[in-house]
């Protein structure tokens, strides 16, 4: 059976997942190719295997299954092509509709999320299977997208294991898009309040351009003193992301809205516990005091206490994070479920 893993719109955060999917499908015995937007090529590190960049190559490969990874309008053309070739379609639904109240948390991005919901509905109607990656996603799909729920299958976010060794943990890190759902301002505000009250070192790793956010005298002083490290405004390579997580004492997952978090899985891969909120799927993966800590508000005292709990028990919590990663997110441990999904398309 021939399987294509497709991401026809560039998304830096998808790189690690796509590489893991390719290896998973190959190791399960399928003839596999990645069908990608060409901008991915600048981020892939020594990737092996088939890569397809054009529609002609797609037709020549002749996939039996097309596993679609992200939500963009370019997918409409891809689905029409797959239908024309009578390929089965598996669609990874990252964010089922969660109700207007949750979408309002996106602030200025509300209109974009609304458009994504409409597109998701259309894609799900065309797909043979719809993949959900958390119980929280499944719950919302059942509540708001009942027709989609009837053809959903469960499959986690997956990664290769790229654990890095012998790196000193020294940062409290935010590694994500800088936006309202991620409570990014709350993280930066905590860093500002920390300037004269503790010795925590901070790290912001984001593809978002945030120069305006950094135009603050306290922020500038933290950066000058080496207490705030910032990489911003560009897509980072997997090596750079792995280094950011591996040098972290704790990672920011204290979001206002989330379905499932690739940041959490990537952080666990490098043994970094998370500070999380009780939203989305965090309660499914974070065990308070073992793989991270929870906060119930964004007060200075609450965040500081959560960080100090992790810092005081980092060695044990780091091992717990690694165990959770290998069990829940490492691609080699998901072969049975992947084969079940692919083979189920024959019926």
């Amino acid at each position: 059976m021939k399987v294509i893993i497709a991401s026809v719109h560039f998304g830096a955060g998808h790189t690690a997942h796509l590489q893991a999917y390719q290896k998973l499908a190959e190791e399960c015995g399928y003839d596999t190719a990645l069908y990608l937007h060409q901008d991915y090529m600048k981020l892939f590190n020594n990737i092996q295997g088939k890569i397809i960049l054009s529609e002609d190559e797609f037709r020549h490969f002749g996939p039996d299954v097309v596993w679609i990874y992200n939500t963009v309008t370019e997918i409409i053309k891809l689905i029409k092509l797959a239908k024309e070739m009578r390929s089965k379609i598996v669609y990874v639904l990252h964010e089922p509709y969660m109700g207007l109240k949750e979408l309002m948390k996106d602030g200025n991005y509300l209109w974009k999320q609304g458009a994504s919901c409409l597109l998701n509905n259309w894609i799900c109607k065309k797909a043979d299977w719809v993949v959900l990656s958390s119980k929280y996603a499944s719950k919302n799909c059942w509540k708001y997208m009942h027709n989609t729920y009837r053809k959903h299958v469960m499959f986690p976010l997956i990664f290769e294991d790229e654990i890095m060794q012998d790196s000193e943990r020294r940062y409290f890190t935010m590694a994500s898009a800088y936006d309202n759902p991620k409570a990014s301002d709350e993280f930066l505000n905590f860093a500002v309040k920390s300037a004269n009250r503790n010795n925590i070192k901070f790290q912001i790793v984001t593809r978002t351009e945030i120069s305006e956010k950094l135009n603050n005298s306290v922020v500038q002083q933290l950066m000058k003193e080496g207490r705030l490290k910032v990489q911003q405004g560009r897509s980072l390579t997997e090596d750079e992301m792995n280094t950011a997580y591996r040098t972290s004492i704790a990672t920011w997952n204290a979001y206002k809205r989330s379905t499932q978090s690739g940041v959490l899985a990537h952080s666990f891969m490098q043994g970094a516990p998370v500070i999380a909120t009780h939203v989305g799927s965090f309660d499914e993966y974070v065990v308070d005091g073992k793989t991270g800590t929870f906060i119930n508000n964004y007060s200075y005292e609450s965040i500081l206490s959560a960080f100090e709990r992790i810092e005081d028990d980092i060695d044990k919590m780091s091992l717990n994070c690694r165990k959770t990663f290998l069990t829940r997110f490492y691609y080699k441990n998901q072969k049975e479920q992947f084969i079940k999904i692919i083979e189920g398309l024959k019926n």
Side-chain angles (χ1 to χ4, degrees):
M1 185 175 284
K2 294 184 176 182
V3 176
I4 274 184
I5 310 298
S7 183
V8 292
H9 183 87
F10 176 66
H14 299 313
T15 306
H17 305 298
L18 295 169
Q19 289 178 303
Y21 268 120
Q22 183 187 42
K23 285 197 172 183
L24 174 60
E26 288 177 344
E27 290 179 18
C28 287
Y30 301 116
D31 188 358
T32 307
L34 290 174
Y35 181 43
L36 303 174
H37 188 282
Q38 61 184 9
D39 284 353
Y40 277 110
M41 302 312 297
K42 60 188 178 185
L43 292 183
F44 278 123
N45 299 325
N46 301 316
I47 192 167
Q48 299 178 352
K50 299 175 185 176
I51 296 178
I52 291 172
L53 300 174
S54 71
E55 185 177 315
D56 287 342
E57 291 176 293
F58 184 100
R59 290 179 181 277
H60 181 74
F61 184 76
D64 299 294
V65 177
V66 181
W67 190 291
I68 300 175
Y69 200 73
N70 50 352
T71 306
V72 287
T73 54
E74 291 91 332
I75 289 178
I76 295 175
K77 183 178 180 181
L78 172 60
I79 287 180
K80 290 180 178 179
L81 177 60
K83 290 290 186 181
E84 176 188 328
M85 300 187 68
R86 298 185 178 181
S87 305
K88 296 292 185 179
I89 296 172
V90 180
Y91 176 54
V92 179
L93 178 57
H94 294 283
E95 292 194 347
Y97 181 62
M98 292 174 272
L100 185 59
K101 182 179 179 180
E102 287 298 307
L103 288 185
M104 291 294 288
K105 295 178 182 179
D106 275 30
N108 294 333
Y109 294 94
L110 174 61
W111 65 270
K112 183 178 180 180
Q113 290 299 329
S116 294
C117 288
L118 293 174
L119 181 58
N120 271 332
N121 277 323
W122 184 86
I123 297 171
C124 288
K125 288 179 181 178
K126 302 296 182 180
D128 296 283
W129 289 126
V130 174
V131 171
L132 301 175
S133 298
S134 67
K135 294 177 182 177
Y136 177 76
S138 177
K139 177 182 176 181
N140 280 292
C141 190
W142 177 84
K143 185 175 181 180
Y144 296 109
M145 304 174 69
H146 206 64
N147 288 333
T148 296
Y149 182 82
R150 291 172 181 166
K151 53 182 173 182
H152 89 281
V153 291
M154 299 299 296
F155 196 79
L157 299 175
I158 58 171
F159 289 81
E160 296 179 70
D161 187 10
E162 299 175 330
I163 180 66
M164 301 180 71
Q165 305 293 340
D166 302 325
S167 294
E168 180 188 357
R169 296 193 184 278
R170 52 187 181 274
Y171 297 113
F172 182 13
T173 298
M174 188 200 82
S176 67
Y178 194 108
D179 58 27
N180 187 61
K182 304 292 193 301
S184 304
D185 281 342
E186 305 292 352
F187 178 86
L188 188 57
N189 287 341
F190 176 72
V192 169
K193 292 176 182 177
S194 297
N196 298 314
R197 301 169 76 176
N198 62 57
N199 296 314
I200 298 173
K201 290 185 177 181
F202 298 89
Q203 180 175 217
I204 296 177
V205 179
T206 179
R207 65 180 181 274
T208 312
E209 168 60 51
I210 61 168
S211 296
E212 186 176 339
K213 297 285 185 180
L214 304 177
N215 189 23
N216 172 292
S217 59
V218 178
V219 172
Q220 290 294 314
Q221 186 63 29
L222 286 170
M223 294 174 67
K224 184 178 180 181
E225 294 172 355
R227 285 189 58 196
L228 173 60
K229 178 182 178 181
V230 179
Q231 298 183 77
Q232 53 120 350
R234 66 178 179 87
S235 299
L236 277 74
T237 65
E238 283 303 299
D239 285 343
E240 289 174 314
M241 293 303 299
N242 285 330
T243 299
Y245 288 115
R246 187 66 181 89
T247 55
S248 298
I249 296 170
T251 302
W252 182 254
N253 255 168
Y255 297 169
K256 296 179 179 179
R257 184 179 76 79
S258 176
T259 306
Q260 55 273 323
S261 173
V263 169
L264 177 144
H266 210 155
S267 187
F268 282 7
M269 179 206 297
Q270 298 299 337
V274 301
I275 293 177
T277 45
H278 295 284
V279 302
S281 63
F282 291 128
D283 285 309
E284 299 174 38
Y285 301 114
V286 181
V287 180
D288 193 57
K290 294 186 179 296
T291 56
T293 54
F294 284 103
I295 59 172
N296 295 313
N297 60 69
Y298 295 110
S299 69
Y300 171 83
E301 292 76 16
S302 179
I303 299 172
L304 178 63
S305 176
F307 179 84
E308 289 178 339
R309 285 180 63 199
I310 292 174
E311 187 177 36
D312 290 344
D313 200 19
I314 183 60
D315 291 338
K316 185 183 293 184
M317 292 179 75
S318 181
L319 289 175
N320 291 333
C321 290
R322 283 288 300 161
K323 290 176 183 177
T324 301
F325 168 77
L326 292 172
T327 302
R328 306 291 291 273
F329 303 110
Y330 184 33
Y331 82 91
K332 283 184 179 290
N333 291 325
Q334 304 301 329
K335 291 181 180 180
E336 182 178 347
Q337 177 64 1
F338 186 77
I339 292 172
K340 183 178 178 181
I341 292 172
I342 297 297
E343 297 300 314
L345 291 167
K346 293 180 178 179
N347 300 325

